[in-house]
């Protein structure tokens, strides 16, 4: 019988639901449980926590999560791989070892350290080769799978890492179990793809799905399982008798999430080519994934560098009644004007930037807003300044809107906000040779190799991409893109991506013809994007757009309501696409009136 390894993805971020891990352990028949805790901005939050206490700096969620499942993990021999160590993996391991001792169990816990390169700031460069300007709150290299493999080879039951690429949590067990060669880049790419699909938890099983209305039982949604083979093929499924769905559409949306060029997705272990990946629904809630290819990786690690850049705050006001959006905008303008005048009078530095968004009136759509006139909205005002005193003055004055400006205003009982440090994420790079990595098991800490030196190894060239097909541009009618496609968007620093997946191969050439770099730039101009790049994934009839500098700083650096572009795909799905009338009739599509 062909050996398969079942890996469950139980976490997508620090603070994710507590029900995922118990569900997968109880119902998943797993060999491995992986949990991803680290978004880009999470490292800054954890670094600040470590400044206050040497025992902090890791994802504290991991301790209560493991407490509920430790006996089952031991009984079923399920190994755990997680990046919950954040900026303090050793403290995380200490807390877990104490928990294991309290439970009367005997489990080996390993820590992977070395990703923290904050003290090596002089060796860090940006994508243009420039040195870092200014001090760093934290800088962490995205390590690969090899250190985790070393831990598994030494019979570790629970492996805690700091910053590593999310997909490495899944790739490492597959290398360990199947004995894959690090130079077989097609296999390494396939294992990385399995990790990419699992890394965001329920997003692969119907969470955030375009056709959300078809997804059953959100409150009991199932979490994803990858059933992997030694030849690199794998199935995506979920535990039986759980909510959610697993379809080619849900898996495709997760594949395009937060990527750039799908034929050159850069990871520390491999340069992935996922452009010709194919998805096959083999039975209900089971999708086969095949066709990943790979090439040699680069000689550098990506580094997540976080810098402190002044202070910021956000205030929300409910505004109701006739002309609510107009009242909200005038209120916001008055507050900003008043604060600016007071700051000048008191010789305090001005606000460096502000963002005003009237939530409920489609402000986030820019010129694509439909001009609705709701009678209740939420006014969101965000400000930033290099000086905390200037932000605090805004906080002092903003409450006056409830009594001295428009009628129908309420702060909802939320109280005043506070000024917080603004954290800005930057993608930096460092030579792999300059990042020593240590594996600690018990009291034994030793340096381990962390990457594959790929001289002379297999280096698969990029595949020639298949054409999108012929578009017959006669007798055309207009339909909304959402009738033709699924969509998912996400962020990488200050860049955003929008993946569009055709619902049917017949739709693909018309989507391709309509969504050009220029047309998407024009439609999404309100994001401030400086450049839109278009990439193809013909294996499952998808197109990916990378919108550079579209997020106003991204993450905690942006003042926007949607700082990570999570709703960008929903906006683009309103784009009008021209298709032949007979195609529209064949698939019962509703046309847009001229």
């Amino acid at each position: 019988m062909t050996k398969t390894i079942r890996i469950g993805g139980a976490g997508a971020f620090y603070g994710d639901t507590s029900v995922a891990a118990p569900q997968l352990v109880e119902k998943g028949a797993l060999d491995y449980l992986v949990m991803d805790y680290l978004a880009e901005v999470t490292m800054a939050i954890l670094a600040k926590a470590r400044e206050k206490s040497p025992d902090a700096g890791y994802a504290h969620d991991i301790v209560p999560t493991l407490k509920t499942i430790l006996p089952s993990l031991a009984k079923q021999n399920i190994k755990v791989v997680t990046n919950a160590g954040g900026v303090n993996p050793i403290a995380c391991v200490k807390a877990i070892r104490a928990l294991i001792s309290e439970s009367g169990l005997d489990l080996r816990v390993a820590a992977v350290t070395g990703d923290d390169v904050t003290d090596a700031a002089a060796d860090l460069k940006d994508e243009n080769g420039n040195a870092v300007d200014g001090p760093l709150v934290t800088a962490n290299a995205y390590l690969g799978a090899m250190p985790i493999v070393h831990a598994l080879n030494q019979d570790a039951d629970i492996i805690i890492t700091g910053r590593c690429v999310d997909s490495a949590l899944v790739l490492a067990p597959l290398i360990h179990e199947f004995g894959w060669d690090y130079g077989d880049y097609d296999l390494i790419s396939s294992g990385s793809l399995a990790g990419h699909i699992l890394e965001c938890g329920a997003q692969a099983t119907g969470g955030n799905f375009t056709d959300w209305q078809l997804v059953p039982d959100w409150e009991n949604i199932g979490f994803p399982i990858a059933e992997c083979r030694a030849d690199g093929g794998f199935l995506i499924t979920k535990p039986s008798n759980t909510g959610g769905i697993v379809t080619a559409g849900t898996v495709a949306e997760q594949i395009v999430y937060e990527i750039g060029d799908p034929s050159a997705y850069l990871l520390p272990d491999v340069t992935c080519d996922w452009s010709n990946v194919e998805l096959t629904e083999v039975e209900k809630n089971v999708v086969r994934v095949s066709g990943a290819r790979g090439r040699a990786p680069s000689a550098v690690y990506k580094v997540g560098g976080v810098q402190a850049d002044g202070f910021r705050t956000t205030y929300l006001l409910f505004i109701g009644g006739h002309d609510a959006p107009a009242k909200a905008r005038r209120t916001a303008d008055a507050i900003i004007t008043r604060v600016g005048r007071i700051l000048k009078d008191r010789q305090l530095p001005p606000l460096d930037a502000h963002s005003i968004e009237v939530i409920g009136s489609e402000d986030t759509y820019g010129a694509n807003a439909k001009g609705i006139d709701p009678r209740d909205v939420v006014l969101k005002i965000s400000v930033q300044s290099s000086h905390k005193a200037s932000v605090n003055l805004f906080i002092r004055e903003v409450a006056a809107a409830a009594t001295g400006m428009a009628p129908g205003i309420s702060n909802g009982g939320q109280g005043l906000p506070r000024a917080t440090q603004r954290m800005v994420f930057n993608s930096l790079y460092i030579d792999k040779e300059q990042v020593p990595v240590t594996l600690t098991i018990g009291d034994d800490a030793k340096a381990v190799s962390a990457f594959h030196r790929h001289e002379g190894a297999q280096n698969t060239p990029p595949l020639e991409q298949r054409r999108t097909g012929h578009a017959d541009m006669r007798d055309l009618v207009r339909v909304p893109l959402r009738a033709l496609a699924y969509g998912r968007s996400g962020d990488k620093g200050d860049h955003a991506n929008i993946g569009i997946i055709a619902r049917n191969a017949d739709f693909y050439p018309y989507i391709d013809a309509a969504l050009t770099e220029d047309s998407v730039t024009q439609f999404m101009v309100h994001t401030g994007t400086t450049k839109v790049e278009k990439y193809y994934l013909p294996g499952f009839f998808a197109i990916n757009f990378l919108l550079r500098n579209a997020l106003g700083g991204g993450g905690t650096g942006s003042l926007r309501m949607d700082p990570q572009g999570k709703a960008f795909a929903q906006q683009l799905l309103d784009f009008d696409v021209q298709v032949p009338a007979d195609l529209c009739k064949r698939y019962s599509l509703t046309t847009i009136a001229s």
Side-chain angles (χ1 to χ4, degrees):
M1 183 176 179
T2 302
K3 179 181 179 181
T4 60
I5 297 297
R6 287 173 63 89
I7 304 175
F13 59 93
Y14 186 13
D16 202 355
T17 177
S18 62
V19 305
Q23 178 203 93
L24 286 166
V25 170
E26 178 185 348
K27 301 179 179 180
L30 300 181
D31 298 292
Y32 290 86
L33 178 72
V34 301
M35 290 177 279
D36 174 28
Y37 283 91
L38 301 181
E40 291 173 339
V41 298
T42 308
M43 301 301 286
I45 296 170
L46 295 176
K48 284 297 181 182
R50 184 181 56 184
E51 286 181 3
K52 297 177 181 178
S53 169
D55 294 327
Y58 63 91
H60 285 260
D61 288 7
I62 188 66
V63 176
T65 295
L66 287 178
K67 185 173 184 178
T68 64
I69 60 175
L70 270 180
S72 295
L73 293 174
K75 182 177 181 179
Q76 298 180 55
N77 193 29
I78 299 172
K79 294 183 181 293
V80 174
V81 186
T82 176
N83 56 16
V87 299
N88 201 346
I90 297 300
C92 184
V93 166
K94 180 180 177 181
I96 291 171
R97 289 177 67 183
L99 179 64
I100 292 170
S101 179
E102 293 171 8
S103 302
L105 298 170
D106 183 18
L107 298 172
R108 285 169 63 83
V109 186
V112 174
T113 55
D115 62 286
D116 189 341
V117 293
T118 310
D119 293 336
D123 298 321
L124 301 177
K125 307 294 182 184
D126 66 15
E127 58 186 6
N128 297 315
N130 299 318
V132 177
D133 182 18
L136 293 161
V137 175
T138 185
N140 299 85
Y142 287 71
L143 302 180
M146 189 179 287
I148 303 172
V149 176
H150 289 310
L152 292 170
N153 290 344
Q154 294 188 43
D155 298 321
D157 299 297
I158 300 173
I159 298 99
I160 305 297
T161 77
R163 179 74 273 183
C164 66
V165 288
D166 305 336
S167 55
L169 304 178
V170 171
L171 174 61
L174 300 180
I175 295 173
H176 168 73
E177 292 286 347
F178 297 131
W180 287 349
D181 189 306
Y182 287 101
D184 192 332
Y185 295 119
D186 287 349
L187 289 178
I188 302 301
S189 178
S190 183
S192 298
L193 178 57
H196 179 74
I197 294 171
L198 293 192
E199 71 187 38
C200 289
Q203 284 189 186
T205 55
N208 290 1
F209 187 41
T210 299
D211 292 348
W212 56 269
Q213 69 276 14
L214 303 181
V215 181
D217 200 8
W218 285 353
E219 62 273 18
N220 186 42
I221 197 165
F223 286 79
I225 297 170
E227 186 174 297
C228 306
R229 302 192 311 269
D231 63 3
F234 61 93
L235 304 175
I236 296 295
T237 186
K238 66 182 184 68
S240 58
N241 300 316
T242 59
I245 54 174
V246 180
T247 66
T250 67
V251 175
E253 283 197 16
Q254 180 55 29
I255 292 176
V256 300
Y257 184 59
E258 295 184 340
I259 65 171
D261 181 352
S263 69
Y265 185 58
L266 305 179
L267 294 173
D269 300 300
V270 62
T271 297
C272 299
D273 183 348
W274 295 339
S275 58
N276 286 280
V277 164
E278 295 185 353
L279 305 174
T280 307
E281 295 181 5
V282 297
E283 59 183 271
K284 183 178 181 181
N285 291 320
V286 181
V287 172
R288 178 185 296 118
V289 183
S290 60
R293 301 292 296 274
R295 307 187 300 281
S298 74
V300 297
Y301 286 123
K302 176 183 173 182
V303 175
V306 179
Q307 293 177 295
D309 184 21
F311 297 86
R312 55 171 290 167
T313 197
T314 294
Y315 193 61
L316 302 176
L317 282 168
F318 167 81
I319 299 181
H322 182 65
D323 281 344
K327 285 193 292 185
R329 293 186 182 99
R330 183 175 174 187
T331 298
D333 290 342
I335 292 170
I336 294 298
T337 300
R338 174 185 289 181
V339 169
R341 186 174 63 244
I342 298 173
L343 289 173
K344 183 178 180 179
D345 290 344
R346 297 184 184 180
Q347 296 184 324
L348 289 171
L351 298 175
D352 297 327
H354 67 269
S355 170
I356 297 169
E357 293 173 284
V358 181
I359 309 305
S361 67
E362 300 192 357
D363 269 10
T364 61
Y365 280 74
N368 301 316
K370 294 182 178 180
I372 61 175
D373 190 19
R375 290 175 293 178
D376 55 6
V377 296
V378 173
L379 170 62
K380 188 228 70 174
I381 313 177
S382 297
V383 302
Q384 71 183 54
S385 174
S386 55
H387 288 70
K388 190 174 184 179
S390 298
V391 175
N392 282 334
L393 190 141
F394 165 84
I395 294 170
R396 168 67 181 80
E397 290 297 323
V398 73
T403 56
M405 295 182 185
I409 294 182
S410 169
N411 69 2
Q414 64 181 306
L416 291 177
R418 62 186 181 90
T420 59
Q421 208 161 34
R422 179 174 180 258
M423 300 293 181
V424 179
F425 178 89
N426 295 297
S427 292
L428 306 171
Y429 300 90
I430 190 170
D431 289 343
K432 289 177 178 176
E433 298 282 1
Q434 295 177 280
V435 184
V437 175
T438 299
L439 176 64
T440 302
I441 301 180
D443 297 324
D444 181 25
K446 63 180 181 181
V448 294
S449 54
F451 64 95
H452 172 63
R453 290 167 176 80
H454 53 80
E455 293 82 357
Q458 173 192 345
N459 190 358
T460 307
L463 293 173
E464 181 179 351
Q465 294 190 344
R466 287 174 281 178
R467 295 178 60 85
T468 59
H470 173 68
D472 182 1
M473 306 303 283
R474 296 174 296 177
D475 190 21
L476 300 176
V477 295
R478 291 184 302 139
V479 298
L481 178 59
R482 66 177 61 255
L484 307 175
Y486 308 111
R488 175 71 63 81
S489 55
D491 66 304
K492 283 294 181 184
D494 193 29
H495 307 321
N497 88 293
I498 305 175
I500 298 296
I501 307 109
R503 295 176 181 271
N504 187 291
D506 290 343
F507 303 157
Y508 196 36
Y510 300 98
I511 296 170
D512 180 32
L515 296 180
T516 65
E517 290 178 347
D518 287 343
S519 68
V520 172
T521 299
Q522 183 176 357
F523 193 81
M524 302 298 293
V525 68
H526 57 281
T527 68
T529 181
T530 56
K531 182 182 180 182
V532 172
E533 300 168 10
K534 181 178 181 179
Y535 301 101
Y536 291 92
L537 299 93
F540 54 90
F541 312 108
I543 300 170
N544 188 52
F545 295 94
L546 181 65
L547 284 64
R548 293 194 176 274
N549 308 113
L551 297 173
T556 58
S558 176
L559 297 180
R560 299 179 187 173
M561 196 68 180
D562 184 11
Q564 296 172 301
K566 301 300 184 184
F568 281 9
Q570 297 300 301
Q571 295 183 23
L572 188 58
L573 287 171
D574 285 335
F575 194 96
D576 292 352
V577 177
Q578 291 186 313
V579 300
D582 65 341
L583 183 72
C584 197
K585 182 178 180 181
R586 192 187 327 156
Y587 289 101
S588 302
L589 303 177
T590 301
T591 61
I592 298 172
S594 298

